[in-house]
């Protein structure tokens, strides 16, 4: 007959193993989700726009207030992309990608004009 301590140790060990396996599976899944081609394209555009906004501020083309507004709009687009992906098994549909790109086009046109 096993002691109560041995039983608790076994339960804790098995629990830790299962949590570790689940966490590793989610990490792999999250990496794939993040690198999905449509999501990657949308996020690359957002990264490029962020760099363009910062460059325009540095060059004096836009002020910090304008930059903050543009960054806020891009942040909202990025959040919308994440929300869409969370509803679609970690990816976005072609239509959602078109919608996000249209929104990014609107922000892009405001940068440095």
């Amino acid at each position: 007959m096993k002691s109560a301590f041995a039983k608790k140790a076994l339960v804790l060990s098995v629990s830790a193993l299962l949590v570790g396996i689940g966490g590793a599976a989610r990490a792999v899944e999250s990496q794939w989700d993040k690198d999905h081609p449509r999501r990657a394209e949308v996020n690359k555009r957002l990264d490029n726009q962020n760099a363009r906004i910062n460059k325009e501020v540095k060059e004096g083309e836009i002020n910090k207030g304008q930059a903050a507004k543009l960054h806020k709009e891009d942040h909202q687009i990025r959040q919308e992309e994440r929300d869409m992906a969370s509803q679609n098994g970690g990816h976005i549909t072609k239509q959602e990608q078109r919608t996000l790109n249209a929104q990014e086009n609107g922000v892009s046109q405001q940068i440095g004009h």
Side-chain angles (χ1 to χ4, degrees):
M1 191 177 219
K2 291 184 181 180
S3 72
F5 177 76
K7 287 180 184 178
K8 285 182 183 179
L10 179 61
V11 169
L12 288 174
S13 296
V14 170
S15 297
L17 179 63
L18 292 175
V19 168
I21 290 171
R26 281 190 301 278
V28 170
E29 181 180 335
S30 295
Q31 184 64 32
W32 182 89
D33 295 344
K34 185 182 82 173
D35 293 336
H36 187 274
R38 287 190 288 271
R39 289 189 73 187
E41 187 268 342
V42 168
N43 287 313
K44 178 71 173 166
R45 284 198 64 195
L46 288 165
D47 291 342
N48 288 341
Q49 286 187 179
N50 183 55
R52 285 178 55 213
I53 293 166
N54 292 337
K55 181 181 177 206
E56 294 294 317
V57 170
K58 187 175 182 179
E59 294 175 351
E61 297 292 322
I62 61 175
N63 64 41
K64 289 182 180 182
Q66 292 167 315
K69 178 185 173 288
L70 294 169
H71 283 303
K72 181 178 179 181
E73 289 180 41
D74 270 350
H75 177 75
Q76 289 170 337
I77 295 168
R78 189 177 301 268
Q79 186 59 52
E80 186 174 354
E81 180 270 335
R82 288 177 182 148
D83 293 343
M84 288 173 171
S86 72
Q87 296 171 7
N88 291 311
H91 72 278
I92 58 174
T93 66
K94 288 181 182 180
Q95 181 56 51
E96 289 169 335
Q97 180 185 22
R98 284 190 287 271
T99 299
L100 294 167
N101 277 330
Q103 292 174 5
E104 289 174 356
N105 290 344
V107 175
S108 182
Q109 291 172 0
Q110 296 176 62
I111 301 171
H113 71 292

